[in-house]
Amino acid sequence: MTTMEYNLENERNNHIQHIGEEHKKALGQYFTPVKISRFMASMFPKSFQKSIRILDPGAGIGILACCLIERIKNEKWPILDLEIQAYDIDIDLTGPLRKNLKLATLGIASSIQISSNNFLESACQPILFDDIKKYTHVIMNPPYAKINSKSNERLLLRNIGVETGNLYSGFLAAAIHVTEELGHIVAIIPRSFCNGVYFKPFRQYLLERCCIEQIHLFESRKDTFKEESVLQENIIIHLQKGAQQKEVLISYSSKSNLEKIEKQYFPFSKIVNPKDISQVINIPIPGKQISKVDFYTTLIELGLSISTGPIVDFRMRDLLQAEFRKGTYPLLYPTHFKDFKLNWPKTGKKPNAILEDPSVKKHLFPSGYYVVVKRFSSKEEPRRIVASIITEESFPTEFFTIENHLNFFHFNKQGFEKELAYGLFVYLNTSYADELFRIFSGHTQVNATDLKNFNYPARNFLIGMGKVALNQDDFNQAIFDMIFQKAVKSND
């Protein structure tokens, strides 16, 4: 670590210790560690341009821009003119930011411009007057915060033709807008934009204007910004504006110190499935080929639907019952499912039933075969998707209902064929499905939308697995994977 980098890291740690959490939260402010900043700077290809214009929106104390400038100097890029534009609305950082950029540019011809204006206003507003500055290199760690649909930021982003509801995706969209053709962008951002309906317009905006050069994955969300309690799973993405899309380099590090990095190139079709109208961005892990089998059957094609349990218990507190009895319906919580089995009723803190009531009637489901998936898991747990099965014999009543922390597969709010239910239950619990979901989604929440957009085997494939599963007395990971692999071989 150079003297400059050492001083920047000390300054970053000092900021973390002395600035209140409310201040950082209000600004969505998290400074990038120097090791990660240096790695981000290394992702840019060496430039032989005579004039370079660097943009760092949300610059903080300038760690990212300084690491890029340090690389330019160390590698002696043949530039004659270097311009740095840094934005940060925290006026208390203007002094340290200017000082750090001046130190970084010593010995190199440069101009430094620092602004405490809102970056989105500067980037999105000039389009109305056809007066927009373009940058060759953008390096960024944007703020993380939701933006209201009627906010000024949302209206500004609409000026450039993007609809998004988070500052980080808004900043990246604006950065793309002000990057010159064939210019490069390296950003550390949450992975949440990669899938889901919420970010679909942003994904379309990004993929229409840029090629993805590289995506870097971190094994643990806790490591990247470990001093600042950041819970998002972050990735680093390298984009080139207006370039032709080619293979994508995926790199992966098990620790934030980046000492051991695995790399692999993947065809773009493995990152964005050409058949996927949602343009979900999948991120495979290097060296971890899960299967040569590709499944593209949708839930609609299977004739099934997925929903979230309709009972929000705190809204129906007066109707909840600790024990099932006459005049109540069975009520299922995540705690009622363990080791892939239903364990109801169960003694514990959670209710087992809900009173018969007109407000409950519309939330009832007839007894039958359903597949249930827990909505929440920890990233460090062995599995993301944990599925269990409900059978016709599960309850002593004709109807039951499900609490809001569970998702369930059904046919028009009813159960479905026994063999299909068991086959789906097996597939969702396979190592294949779990790793496929991790490529597809970085969330710890397994939401119904993700499962709706997930890829499934064909109906006959599932029914075949279901018939085998019905002959099993017990289930574990080895059995799920064995049933799946046998089905794959028999379908080759």
Side-chain angles (χ1 to χ4, degrees):
M1 185 180 290
T2 65
T3 301
M4 182 203 75
E5 290 170 344
Y6 178 80
N7 291 336
L8 285 170
E9 188 64 12
N10 282 344
E11 202 167 336
R12 184 183 82 90
N13 288 326
N14 185 63
H15 181 273
I16 291 169
Q17 293 170 15
H18 295 95
I19 300 300
E21 285 299 319
E22 288 302 316
H23 177 81
K24 288 189 287 185
K25 187 176 179 180
L27 297 178
Q29 186 184 78
Y30 300 98
F31 293 169
T32 316
V34 166
K35 283 186 178 180
I36 293 175
S37 299
R38 192 194 307 137
F39 176 71
M40 290 172 66
S42 74
M43 292 170 75
F44 291 97
K46 183 174 180 178
S47 175
F48 294 90
Q49 294 173 259
K50 299 302 181 185
S51 178
I52 288 180
R53 294 175 301 283
I54 297 172
L55 170 66
D56 185 352
I61 58 173
I63 298 173
L64 286 168
C66 286
C67 284
L68 179 54
I69 295 164
E70 186 91 338
R71 182 189 164 201
I72 290 170
K73 290 168 66 176
N74 289 341
E75 295 182 2
K76 297 180 171 57
W77 291 15
I79 59 174
L80 300 176
D81 177 45
L82 174 64
E83 182 180 332
I84 303 105
Q85 173 71 66
Y87 286 88
D88 204 292
I89 60 172
D90 189 345
I91 57 174
D92 291 337
L93 298 179
T94 301
L97 175 58
R98 187 177 299 281
K99 175 202 71 178
N100 291 330
L101 290 175
K102 281 187 174 181
L103 287 172
T105 53
L106 282 174
I108 186 170
S110 61
S111 65
I112 299 169
Q113 297 177 18
I114 295 173
S115 175
S116 58
N117 292 335
N118 184 329
F119 166 65
L120 294 182
E121 289 183 356
S122 299
C124 303
Q125 198 78 335
I127 190 173
L128 303 176
F129 310 102
D130 196 27
D131 177 25
I132 190 162
K133 192 170 190 176
K134 301 281 185 174
Y135 299 89
T136 60
H137 295 72
V138 180
I139 189 165
M140 63 191 297
N141 174 7
Y144 311 160
K146 289 184 178 179
I147 50 179
N148 189 281
S149 60
K150 296 182 179 178
S151 66
N152 184 48
E153 288 85 356
R154 197 69 168 258
L155 296 174
L156 286 167
L157 288 164
R158 286 175 187 150
N159 284 341
I160 62 170
V162 67
E163 193 69 47
T164 190
N166 198 294
L167 276 178
Y168 85 80
S169 50
F171 265 57
L172 184 51
I176 291 169
H177 179 63
V178 297
T179 300
E180 69 175 28
E181 289 299 301
L182 301 182
H184 293 267
I185 302 166
V186 174
I188 182 166
I189 52 176
R191 183 179 173 173
S192 53
F193 79 95
C194 291
N195 68 312
V197 176
Y198 184 71
F199 285 103
K200 181 180 176 181
F202 170 69
R203 287 195 300 275
Q204 291 174 328
Y205 182 92
L206 184 154
L207 294 170
E208 285 171 2
R209 291 161 176 79
C210 299
C211 80
I212 300 175
E213 294 281 348
Q214 180 179 351
I215 298 175
H216 183 81
L217 283 168
F218 298 94
E219 183 180 51
S220 173
R221 68 167 38 83
K222 293 179 180 178
D223 241 11
T224 318
F225 294 94
K226 59 186 177 182
E227 304 93 341
E228 304 201 68
S229 303
V230 174
L231 297 179
Q232 295 96 335
E233 182 172 355
N234 291 287
I235 63 171
I236 301 171
I237 190 166
H238 172 203
L239 306 170
Q240 186 176 18
K241 186 173 178 179
Q244 184 176 0
Q245 184 64 61
K246 47 189 180 295
E247 287 187 320
V248 179
L249 175 62
I250 304 295
S251 54
Y252 172 81
S253 59
S254 58
K255 298 289 183 181
S256 64
N257 59 21
L258 299 162
E259 288 178 358
K260 184 180 179 182
I261 297 177
E262 298 176 54
K263 298 180 179 181
Q264 185 175 343
Y265 281 94
F266 290 88
F268 185 65
S269 60
K270 293 294 183 184
I271 308 301
V272 179
N273 183 346
K275 297 181 181 180
D276 182 11
I277 61 172
S278 295
Q279 294 185 285
V280 168
I281 297 173
N282 301 281
I283 312 177
I285 296 175
K288 211 167 187 179
Q289 296 295 333
I290 56 178
S291 174
K292 292 182 180 179
V293 179
D294 286 321
F295 295 127
Y296 295 119
T297 304
T298 65
L299 269 189
I300 294 173
E301 290 169 334
L302 290 173
L304 300 178
S305 300
I306 184 164
S307 301
T308 299
I311 300 298
V312 181
D313 57 3
F314 69 86
R315 294 176 182 166
M316 296 184 167
R317 194 171 285 118
D318 295 342
L319 301 176
L320 303 178
Q321 300 293 299
E323 297 180 3
F324 171 76
R325 55 182 172 78
K326 187 177 180 180
T328 67
Y329 297 110
L331 172 60
L332 302 182
Y333 280 83
T335 189
H336 290 118
F337 297 91
K338 186 178 181 181
D339 298 328
F340 315 109
K341 295 178 181 177
L342 174 64
N343 180 19
W344 179 94
K346 178 182 178 182
T347 303
K349 295 180 181 180
K350 294 296 184 183
N352 286 293
I354 191 166
L355 286 173
E356 293 181 1
D357 186 86
S359 64
V360 175
K361 192 173 182 179
K362 63 182 177 181
H363 299 314
L364 298 176
F365 309 100
S367 293
Y369 290 91
Y370 300 80
V371 176
V372 176
V373 174
K374 294 179 181 180
R375 280 181 56 199
F376 297 94
S377 70
S378 166
K379 182 178 185 292
E380 283 69 31
E381 283 183 359
R383 300 190 57 81
R384 290 286 181 92
I385 301 178
V386 181
S388 302
I389 198 161
I390 297 171
T391 70
E392 285 182 340
E393 303 79 28
S394 294
F395 310 110
T397 58
E398 186 180 353
F399 296 96
F400 70 100
T401 191
I402 301 174
E403 192 267 339
N404 191 246
H405 287 83
L406 291 166
N407 295 313
F408 65 104
F409 292 84
H410 56 90
F411 170 72
N412 197 24
K413 303 295 184 183
Q414 300 179 60
F416 50 102
E417 304 102 296
K418 186 176 186 178
E419 291 84 358
L420 181 60
Y422 269 89
L424 180 60
F425 159 67
V426 168
Y427 173 67
L428 290 170
N429 284 310
T430 60
S431 298
Y432 175 87
D434 190 63
E435 293 191 21
L436 192 66
F437 190 81
R438 289 172 186 270
I439 290 170
F440 170 81
S441 172
H443 300 299
T444 52
Q445 179 172 339
V446 181
N447 58 56
T449 301
D450 286 346
L451 290 171
K452 181 180 178 182
N453 293 324
F454 199 46
N455 291 329
Y456 298 88
R459 171 179 280 267
N460 289 340
F461 188 101
L462 290 171
I463 289 173
M465 288 200 301
K467 289 177 178 178
V468 176
L470 285 168
N471 294 320
Q472 298 292 326
D473 295 325
D474 204 1
F475 293 100
N476 56 46
Q477 192 64 62
I479 289 173
F480 291 130
D481 292 341
M482 177 270 295
I483 294 172
F484 176 71
Q485 290 303 331
K486 283 188 174 181
V488 169
K489 288 179 181 178
S490 66
N491 281 268
D492 281 344

